[in-house]
Amino acid sequence: MSTQAVLEQYNTACEKVYRQASNDATESCAACHRTYGDISYAEKNTPEPAAVLTPADKEALQAALLAAEDGDDTALKAWVSTFAGAGHTELIVVEDTTDSHKGRQRSNLGSPLYIAAVLNMPDAVNVLLKLGDDPNYSHPEHSGSPVLHAAELGYDEVLGHLLGATGYDFAAAPLTVDRKNFLGQGMPQYEEGGLSPLALAARNSRLSTVKLLLEIPEARSAWLHRTDSFGRDLVEATCERMALTTREAVKEELKQIVGLLCAASGRDGEAALRELVPTTA
């Protein structure tokens, strides 16, 4: 029974109980609740629609991904065949939880390809791409994508498979979204959005990933000259990160990244560093 049907049945029962019971509305509602329970309970015990999978499906996918990483893609191919055959594109699971008064939680874990990318499983990613999973996928809740995640964390082998996939659209690739986080005393901390995979790699000092992306003409064309939601270009944003970090190893990697970005965009790297990174006396 759908949630809407439960609500309609609940309302009909309320009207019936109200007519048959005393004129006390409180007693009427109490009688109705004794019969049907509250709405959250009714929703919780309503059979899930076909688009929702079980925790066992999630566990089966995880096991299949691990097997694919070990060179056996049989289980993964079988899982995807069943998954896609049922019309699924995302793994939406309802699980019991001790962190919610409702007792259950619905989670959208993303597409199988997104999950494999997050887990840094390049062989599984390669299998899923061959099976037709979409490299342009963007999570509907936070706009995360396999490429964004791999670039941010420096998963170069995964990233190579994704960028080389048939149909990957560099120009229309998902970007990060603006975020506002509230710290102590309700003070907001803003995190810039509009970050491309190249920007994520640069700001997280992923030197090898930046090199990989700059070697791909389509990536350079789509992302090298983009600005973030604060209006900063890649060189400016990377120099700012360099000025803020106190870790010498990270600072050195960021310095090299600035040099690569400047070289790719025809700028003088040393001049950019002098201008944008304050020096201490």
Side-chain angles (χ1 to χ4, degrees), residues 183-215:
L183 308 177
Q185 305 300 317
M187 296 297 291
Q189 180 184 48
Y190 295 92
E191 182 176 319
E192 70 273 35
L195 299 180
S196 68
L198 180 57
L200 280 176
R203 78 194 303 271
N204 287 283
S205 63
R206 308 297 182 187
L207 180 58
S208 63
T209 308
V210 171
K211 289 179 179 178
L212 169 66
L213 292 171
L214 289 177
E215 289 173 356

Side-chain angles (χ1 to χ4, degrees), residues 261-280:
L261 295 172
C262 286
S265 56
R267 296 173 63 174
D268 185 331
E270 291 299 324
L273 289 170
R274 289 194 298 270
E275 177 187 353
L276 299 170
V277 182
T279 57
T280 55

Side-chain angles (χ1 to χ4, degrees), residues 8-50:
E8 291 174 357
Q9 187 179 42
Y10 182 91
N11 291 332
T12 300
C14 280
E15 294 173 0
K16 181 178 179 181
V17 171
Y18 185 83
R19 289 193 300 268
Q20 294 179 351
S22 69
N23 292 329
D24 185 345
T26 302
E27 174 61 26
S28 302
C29 290
C32 184
H33 277 279
R34 285 196 297 271
T35 303
Y36 287 93
D38 60 25
I39 293 300
S40 63
Y41 180 85
E43 290 180 335
K44 185 175 69 175
N45 287 275
T46 300
E48 299 297 339

